[in-house]
Amino acid sequence: MTKIRKVKRRKKFRMNVNRKRLRNKQRKLPTISCPQIKNSWEVTMSTKTNLKEMGLSYDPNETLKIPNAKRELIKEAKRKIVEPEEAVWQEEEDVDMEPMKAHVAKELEAEARAPREKLFRLPNSVVQFVTYLMDKYDEDYKAMARDKKNYDQMTWKQIRAKIKRFKGIPEQYNEYLKSKNAERSE
């Protein structure tokens, strides 16, 4: 009895939904941000066909199947039952053809392999805290952990990791070193 009540509750008419706008939104094609895919996309074809022609995968679960012991056992059993000549003929059938627009996949791979500039920067509050600790305690991380400005109660290892990360960002660390050298020369 409760199941019917739930179904009825779900089918209430929603006055605040604009169905015309909803339908148009569903029909509208998605915006493609990748220029390589956008240039070779054909509107008349389905998404699956377009991606297949470009040498890309529509469903990664289908393309890269997770090994399944049951499936493997069934394949082996079929091989033993079927004559060897037919098995060879079936294996030759699975040969994939070169996609028509293979250049898209190659361009995407080249772009992914290209070296990128790291744009990672620490927030100013973290930089101020770390520089304060480095100026006051130098390399004594355990004393840093006991400092009164350590509001987050970070352990000495967490502070050491933050300082290491700060030193790994050349533009911020070099700026700190310049300011420190300017103070020494004065």
Side-chain angles (χ1 to χ4, degrees), residues 38-152:
K38 193 174 191 175
N39 292 337
S40 56
W41 191 268
E42 291 185 31
V43 183
T44 55
M45 293 183 179
S46 69
T47 307
K48 203 171 195 176
T49 313
N50 264 317
L51 291 174
K52 190 175 183 182
E53 279 194 357
M54 292 178 208
L56 302 173
S57 174
Y58 178 75
D59 184 14
N61 295 326
E62 218 173 89
T63 310
L64 304 170
K65 290 184 179 171
I66 298 171
N68 187 344
K70 185 178 179 182
R71 201 179 300 135
E72 296 296 324
L73 288 171
I74 291 171
K75 277 186 182 179
E76 284 182 38
K78 283 182 179 178
R79 277 193 209 126
K80 289 177 183 176
I81 294 170
V82 179
E83 292 178 27
E85 293 173 14
E86 290 179 29
V88 172
W89 180 71
Q90 286 177 347
E91 288 175 13
E92 290 175 7
E93 217 175 337
D94 294 339
V95 176
D96 288 329
M97 300 274 287
E98 177 88 12
M100 290 172 58
K101 300 174 186 174
H103 64 90
V104 176
K106 289 175 184 169
E107 287 175 17
L108 289 172
E109 283 180 16
E111 187 180 319
R113 284 194 185 113
R116 287 194 181 80
E117 190 178 312
K118 289 186 181 179
L119 300 173
F120 180 74
R121 288 178 62 98
L122 285 173
N124 287 338
S125 58
V126 174
V127 171
Q128 286 175 347
F129 175 66
V130 167
T131 53
Y132 159 77
L133 291 175
M134 287 170 65
D135 288 338
K136 190 169 181 182
Y137 299 106
D138 199 36
E139 293 287 318
D140 188 8
Y141 300 113
K142 291 187 178 181
M144 290 179 191
R146 289 189 302 266
D147 190 80
K148 64 183 178 187
K149 286 195 177 179
N150 185 9
Y151 303 126
D152 298 330

Side-chain angles (χ1 to χ4, degrees), residues 160-176:
R160 184 181 65 186
K162 274 212 193 307
I163 290 173
K164 192 175 182 183
R165 191 177 305 141
F166 172 66
K167 287 180 178 179
I169 303 169
E171 52 191 65
Q172 287 182 319
Y173 186 60
N174 290 340
E175 194 176 306
Y176 163 72

